[in-house]
Amino acid sequence: MVTIRSATPGDADAIANVYVNTWRSVYADLLLEKMLVGMSHERTALYWRRVIAEKPGRDLVRVADTDDRLVIGFASAGASRHRGLGFGGEIYTLYVLDEFQGAGTGQALLFSIFRRLLDRGLRSSLVWVLAGNPSRFFYEVMGGGRVAEREETMWGVRLNEIAFGWRDLDATLKGPRAASAS
Ligand SMILES: CC(C)(COP(=O)(O)OP(=O)(O)OC[C@H]1O[C@@H](n2cnc3c(N)ncnc32)[C@H](O)[C@@H]1OP(=O)(O)O)[C@@H](O)C(=O)NCCC(=O)NCCS
C-alpha cells in the first residue's frame, strides 16, 4: 500500500533519488545529455533538505511511500510564481519512479497537494510542463485545462512549455477523480 505524507528532512536523499532518476528517464530526449549526466545526487539532496527544513511555511512537499518506507514519488507546491495568470497555487514538481508509475500514485500525490493548497487559502493551481513531456496527458486526465504557453531557455536549449490549470480546487476535490484518490 502507498501512503502520502508530509516530507521530513530525513527524506531528502530518497527524494533526490526519485528526482534524479525520473529526470534522466523522462528528459533523455528533451534536455542536453551533459546536463542530465552532470546532475548530482548530493547537490539535489542538499537542495531538498533545505527546502523541507528551512522553508516549511513556504513550500509544501509531500512524499509517497510504500509499507516498507521506500519513497517512490514526491510532489512540491506553493504560491504561484506567475500571478498574472490568475492562479493562486502552483505545482512545482511531481515525480513518480518509473517502475511505480501507472498505479495511481501520481494522482494521489496531486490531490493530496491540492488539499494542502486549499488549506493555505490557495483556491486554484497551475503546473508548467515541457510540451514534449508525455506527462502533459496525465494533467489533462486529472482535469487540468490548457491555460498558457511559453518558451524558456534551459541550459542553452529553447523549450516550449504548457501550463495546465485548475480554477476551482474545491470543486476538483469534490469530483469523482479526487474520491478515487483519497
Ligand atoms: C506524470 C506522473 C507523475 C504520473 O504519475 P503516475 O503514478 O504514473 O500516474 P497515475 O497512475 O496516478 O495515473 C492517473 C491517471 O492518469 C493517466 N496517465 C498517467 N500518465 C499518463 C500519460 N503519460 N498519458 C496519458 N495518461 C496518463 C493514467 O492512465 C491514469 O488514468 P486512469 O485512472 O483513467 O487509468 C508520472 O508518470 C511521472 O512521474 N512521470 C515522469 C516525471 C514527470 O514528467 N513529471 C511531471 C513533470 S511536470
Side-chain angles (χ1 to χ4, degrees), residues 20-29 36 98 101:
V20 172
N21 283 315
T22 47
W23 264 67
R24 286 181 176 158
S25 162
V26 78
Y27 298 129
D29 296 329
L36 294 174
D98 275 7
Q101 289 176 11

Side-chain angles (χ1 to χ4, degrees), residues 149-169:
E149 288 178 28
R150 69 182 179 191
E151 194 181 77
E152 286 276 286
T153 301
M154 294 185 202
W155 304 282
V157 186
R158 286 162 87 90
L159 296 160
N160 292 317
E161 288 189 297
I162 303 170
F164 290 93
W166 293 262
R167 297 238 172 245
D168 184 348
L169 292 183

